[in-house]
Amino acid sequence: MSLQGKHILLGVTGSIAAYKAAMLVRLLVKEGAEVRVVMSQAARDFITPLTLATLCKHPILIDNFDPTNGAWNSHISLGEWADHYLIAPATANTLAKMAHGVADNLLLCTYLSARCPVSVAPAMDLDMYRHPATQQNLGILRDRDGVGIVEPQEGELASGLVGKGRMAEPAEIVRYLAARFMLSETENSPLRGKKIIVTAGATVEPIDPVRFVSNYSTGKMGYAIAEALAARGARVMLVSGHATATLGGFYDNIELFRTPSAAEMYETCARLFPEADGAVFCAAVADYTPAHPAEEKHKHHPDRPLILELKPTRDIAAEMGRIKRPGQVTLGFALETAAATDEGGGVAYAQKKLESKNLDAIVLNSLRDAGAGFGTDTNKVTIIDRDPDLPHLSLPLKSKMAVAEDIAEYIGRKFGGCRS
Ligand code: C5P
């Protein structure tokens, strides 16, 4: 997901969060977007036009005309230039004016005449945000005008109060915008409307009420795949064990099921799979679980060892593979300690799993590769297809988000009936 070459018109209004507009412009430019900024008069009290002009490399527009020479700042051509009009921060005052068609500054005139999609990132005090007037105005903008709302966050506000009203972080707003573009550009994706399960994260197997057996998986890869599929219009059922990764929160087509243990993950997958079009098994599921988890905390006995009996868990991917219908597409992961290039090692193990779990393809990654595996933001994978005539697809080291995009495209081709 990228903003390469996109024209983003940023509207900045008079909130203390306007200082974050500088970071927002910087991140947008870094993602390849061309940025122009229009400000309200009040925004100038919080951030200078010079700061924003330096970052976006264009003059900042504030008034309908230049008072020194009368030159008209055309709100119409601004709206025509933009691929997306993002108002961040958007104050309660600006939201109210947008909802009621007030056009008393350039930023608002541009809103009324813009033909491109518009989004707002509200920022205000918690009481202003939850006031029925503000909520009604947001409802009008969403339902009448199709304005996208980047929800404010809970947290400490400039007033010192704690609650919902803080503008979303610039990085989140950039992720939101990239997702919006991706959704509109993938209207014809073969994944549109497909119901896909994604398992992610680490399962947690209790030893007693305070201790557990688990692994280092953070869920980053699985969560990124869930978002990449959702961005292509799939209806994703994200079945997650313990994960430090989070969802951007702007996809209403991802449903999150929390399943801490392997047994709970199995139950949820078994319930969802018959109705699903496919599944990506990305979770690091425990192979063994304590056979007799204690109801009370184990006491420390320095004079004798504690022996835990472990029993095997059910292999979710293999069990789903057994009940798989024709047309359902499944993909698994093989994390190996042998080199991914090693035909006798990593590749052979992965191929065996592909067969035994009845998968359509398996994504092999090796802990031997720097930047691959648990916890990293990057991954280096090879996709091995069930079709022996298809060559292995070895991807270079990339961000997990970029790997997720490739995997989503691969699954899309499977649904599109093409050989990958
Ligand atoms: O056999 P191994 O654990 O290496 O296989 C890894 C693949 O199988 C991954 O796709 C993983 O999500 C899946 N798996 C599973 N249930 C298990 C163990 C692994 O779905 N109990």
Side-chain angles (χ1 to χ4, degrees):
M1 285 191 278
S2 138
L3 295 174
Q4 194 61 43
K6 297 285 185 273
H7 289 182
I8 309 292
L9 178 62
L10 176 65
V12 182
T13 69
S15 151
I16 178 63
Y19 81 90
K20 292 187 185 171
M23 181 55 86
L24 189 51
V25 172
R26 215 178 76 81
L27 290 179
L28 290 169
V29 170
K30 210 169 135 203
E31 287 296 318
E34 251 196 75
V35 183
R36 302 280 161 89
V37 179
V38 51
M39 284 170 96
S40 68
Q41 280 290 352
R44 298 179 67 158
D45 295 332
F46 295 94
I47 186 161
T48 71
L50 177 63
T51 306
L52 297 176
T54 310
L55 291 167
C56 78
K57 301 189 174 64
H58 288 282
I60 305 305
L61 302 167
I62 298 170
D63 298 310
N64 284 305
F65 61 90
D66 183 334
T68 56
N69 60 14
W72 189 44
N73 289 327
S74 170
H75 54 89
I76 295 165
S77 42
L78 269 179
E80 277 172 354
W81 172 86
D83 294 317
H84 200 102
Y85 186 17
L86 167 71
I87 302 175
T91 59
N93 184 46
T94 292
L95 293 172
K97 288 180 176 180
M98 287 165 72
H100 297 282
V102 178
D104 63 359
N105 63 24
L106 179 64
L107 185 147
L108 290 160
C109 289
T110 307
Y111 172 64
L112 284 180
S113 51
R115 292 185 179 174
C116 63
V118 179
S119 297
V120 292
M124 64 199 74
D125 190 59
L126 79 162
D127 293 308
M128 291 174 84
Y129 182 69
R130 69 177 170 210
H131 195 285
T134 304
Q135 288 305 314
Q136 237 166 37
N137 290 333
L138 281 168
I140 291 172
L141 292 176
R142 185 184 54 233
D143 301 336
R144 183 194 64 197
D145 296 358
V147 169
I149 297 164
V150 191
E151 290 276 319
Q153 298 171 343
E154 303 256 349
E156 194 175 325
L157 302 163
S159 58
L161 297 173
V162 175
K164 191 167 179 179
R166 261 165 75 118
M167 187 176 83
E169 287 305 318
E172 275 303 295
I173 298 175
V174 171
R175 263 175 87 189
Y176 161 87
L177 270 187
R180 283 278 308 235
F181 278 111
M182 181 60 107
L183 261 179
S184 66
E185 283 163 14
T186 55
E187 244 155 38
N188 299 321
S189 165
L191 288 165
R192 197 151 282 268
K194 292 278 185 279
K195 288 195 227 163
I196 304 187
I197 297 171
V198 178
T199 69
T203 64
V204 172
E205 311 300 324
I207 296 171
D208 68 20
V210 295
R211 303 182 180 93
F212 56 82
V213 178
S214 191
N215 59 68
Y216 293 120
S217 171
T218 55
K220 273 185 194 157
M221 195 64 249
Y223 278 55
I225 292 173
E227 289 196 343
L229 292 169
R232 287 160 177 78
R235 287 171 54 195
V236 178
M237 294 164 280
L238 176 59
V239 182
S240 177
H242 177 260
T244 51
T246 52
L247 287 170
F250 31 76
Y251 290 107
D252 53 13
N253 49 341
I254 301 182
E255 198 179 346
L256 180 62
F257 298 83
R258 291 216 176 267
T259 56
S261 67
E264 287 161 296
M265 189 175 275
Y266 169 81
E267 295 301 333
T268 302
C269 288
R271 181 164 54 81
L272 299 175
F273 190 68
E275 298 299 317
D277 296 295
V280 182
F281 300 105
C282 194
V285 186
D287 290 329
Y288 294 92
T289 188
H292 310 289
E295 283 184 12
E296 300 292 332
K297 189 178 164 197
H298 281 288
K299 293 277 174 284
H300 183 210
H301 297 290
D303 50 336
R304 56 183 154 99
L306 172 68
I307 298 179
L308 279 180
E309 186 191 339
L310 300 174
K311 63 173 186 190
T313 56
R314 282 158 120 166
D315 188 322
I316 302 166
E319 300 255 350
M320 298 310 115
R322 238 194 301 283
I323 59 168
K324 187 171 159 188
R325 294 180 271 109
Q328 280 182 314
V329 172
T330 58
L331 208 98
F333 272 73
L335 176 67
E336 302 295 343
T337 45
T341 47
D342 178 359
E343 287 290 327
V347 172
Y349 290 135
Q351 263 162 338
K352 228 179 262 166
K353 284 179 193 172
L354 183 69
E355 298 285 334
S356 67
K357 297 176 199 247
N358 191 17
L359 299 164
D360 293 277
I362 193 153
V363 182
L364 166 64
N365 51 357
S366 168
L367 282 182
R368 289 246 201 115
D369 286 320
F374 289 139
T376 56
D377 284 323
T378 53
N379 208 354
K380 186 170 183 310
V381 306
T382 301
I383 306 180
I384 301 171
D385 203 277
R386 186 70 173 270
D387 184 344
D389 292 341
L390 289 176
H392 302 163
L393 184 62
S394 288
L395 302 171
L397 184 73
K398 303 178 178 205
S399 71
K400 282 191 173 163
M401 257 168 81
V403 173
E405 299 296 328
D406 290 337
I407 292 173
E409 286 294 313
Y410 199 92
I411 300 170
R413 289 198 290 275
K414 292 266 166 226
F415 282 114
C418 312
R419 298 177 92 208
S420 300

